[in-house]
Amino acid sequence: MDNTSWEQKLHALTHILTSPTHAPPLHSQLFIATQIPCYLNWNYPPLLCRRSSSSPPPPPLMRWALSQFIKRGRRLGLPETSWRCKCPYQLPPPLILAKGVAAGEWGEEERRRYVRSRLRRRRLVNDVNPLIPILVPNLLVLLLLFWVPISLQDN
């Protein structure tokens, strides 16, 4: 990657940002491979990477394939999801919806129903009596004040 110019890096970055995907099409992979041929840490295979004398014994394409296998093996073959995948009304819609999230329906009535269900959800608060966080530490401090670890009869 050190032998690529800033213009090539800029073209590759612009392409990646304008077409985000987990499974890039072949023309996209070839474009990135021509711009930055030897970058092994992303989803694009290093097709045009030359094997240098300083590189370790496995060829770059084999190292990339092994890294992809290990990445997918850690997820047990499940697709990558992120917080964006949990937003069914995101524009444009997410590539892969997270597990347990229903796809967004765009009719007027469906959107009203969705907003009402979101507003009816319970708030994320603890169901603890407010006196407990105040009383318990105070009782512990009082217990320490009245507790005598050394008996006075031993002196």
Side-chain angles (χ1 to χ4, degrees), residues 11-55:
H11 285 302
L13 182 63
T14 305
H15 177 74
I16 291 170
L17 291 176
T18 55
S19 58
T21 177
H22 292 297
L26 184 61
H27 65 85
S28 183
Q29 294 178 26
L30 288 173
F31 174 74
I32 294 297
T34 57
Q35 297 298 315
I36 304 175
C38 289
Y39 194 55
L40 299 174
N41 295 328
W42 57 18
N43 293 338
Y44 298 97
L47 297 175
L48 303 178
C49 189
R50 291 183 190 87
R51 188 173 179 172
S52 65
S53 59
S54 64
S55 69

Side-chain angles (χ1 to χ4, degrees), residues 85-106:
C85 299
K86 296 184 171 110
C87 306
Y89 288 103
Q90 174 190 352
L91 278 175
L95 297 171
I96 302 169
L97 266 179
K99 186 177 178 183
V101 178
E105 296 168 357
W106 291 96

